[in-house]
Amino acid sequence: MTQSHAINILLVEDNPADASLFRRVFWRLEQDTWKLVEVQTLEDAIDTYCNYSNLVPGQRTFDVVLLDLGLPDATGLDTLKQFRMALPNAVVIVLTGLDDETIALQAVGEGAQDYLVKDQVTPQWLLRTIRFAIERNNLLSQLKYSEECTRNSLEREQELNHLKSSFVAMVSHEFRNPLGVIRNGMEIVRQLLPDTLENNVEKWFNQIESATEQLVYLVNDVLLLSQVQATSLRCNPAVVDLEDFCSEIIETISQSLDDRLHSIWFDITGDSVSVFTDPNLLWHICTNLLSNAIKYSPQGGVIQLGLTYQADQVILRVKDPGIGISEETQRHLFESFYRGSNAKGITGTGLGLVIVKRCVDVLQGNIEITSALNVGTTVTITLPLNQPSSASERHQVSETREVP
Ligand code: ATP
Ligand code: MG
């Protein structure tokens, strides 16, 4: 950007010889490129700067201030500090003597745009320094403005995210209570009715129960998603024995699904160590992967859950012989509510893997999915060990176990 108008300069210099030196240098420049106003004290400088546009109607204020650091009412860096405190947006070039360069550099650190050594000033050097200072100040102002815009939009986005999460959490929560009432009511009504019901009544009962279960499942998933999407999701690590942890999950899943139609084989390789990780997040990862493996596999299918311990990481692998995932679906697996076309007849909401991915990210791990249609799917999660390792926690394991 070039300065098209005359540059308004405020010279703050109490030494008549130095002031006259600057005047002479300015006179050697083109007359219509500058306008000089001179004062001798800091107080006058602040006063003149503030009131210039009032005193000279139609004038902008000063483009640049040439500030001597040794004035009758202030000396050294203090002069600059006081001036900038009163006028933080002013463009200041400090004036120093030959032996004052250290203090001049400190002044630049304190917010002066540049400095001039009085005895070395030439017209070209003066003009160049002034223009450079003004330009630098413009750039800095633009930078500050963009920074502020970015910060504002970030804050707005965070506020919106927070609002969205609290809204989803609130709505989901409000769904839970009536759903609980429906569930309990169904149980009571069932107890009050005779053991054998007419065929169509039994059918209706089962449909209401299964629809209610689906709703409960959906509400729980949406609630969990709103939590994992909130930027506040943190890793709360604890020492976890992965082997026990996985065995418990397999047992819980087998019971909750009342699933006698699939087998889960659990396989461990390497030196088993306790892992320092978040059990809550790990639980969401394992249950979602195992429930996918089960529901997308044919009856009688064998699901394999593998744990492989390596020097600094542990690999958790869930392999199933199920319907598989098409290449197109694989590209969208971590998008909320996305479901494969071959999965439409199977209950699901398309949130499980989004939750898994977010949890894996928080645990600073990695997820990889390989699949072939009608052959099966393997999901591999790699997690850092992060364990406070000790010899007592280490024991050799190599076994294969089947959970019915
Ligand atoms: P839910 O939110 O109840 O888990 P979902 O199982 O449909 O529903 P995701 O677990 O996120 O949702 O899986 C997304 C989609 O990826 C599924 O709808 C399915 O098409 C496909 N998919 C995931 N895991 C498997 C798998 N092991 N075998 C075949 N398809 C799978
Ligand atoms: Mg799922």
Side-chain angles (χ1 to χ4, degrees), residues 310 313-316 360 363-367 380-384:
Q310 294 180 342
Q313 61 184 19
V314 61
I315 298 168
L316 192 144
V360 170
L363 294 181
Q364 297 182 331
N366 184 52
I367 179 167
T380 308
I381 308 278
T382 309
L383 296 172

Side-chain angles (χ1 to χ4, degrees), residues 288 291-292 295-296 352:
N288 270 298
S291 93
N292 277 354
K295 76 178 173 182
Y296 297 116

Side-chain angles (χ1 to χ4, degrees), residues 364-388:
Q364 297 182 331
N366 184 52
I367 179 167
E368 207 182 287
I369 300 179
T370 52
S371 186
L373 278 177
N374 302 318
V375 176
T377 302
T378 303
V379 184
T380 308
I381 308 278
T382 309
L383 296 172
L385 276 180
N386 287 340
Q387 92 281 25

Side-chain angles (χ1 to χ4, degrees), residues 66-84:
L66 303 181
L67 181 68
D68 181 29
L69 292 183
L71 296 172
D73 50 351
T75 51
L77 273 185
D78 210 34
T79 315
L80 175 71
K81 283 182 188 165
Q82 285 189 48
F83 187 83
R84 282 191 46 82

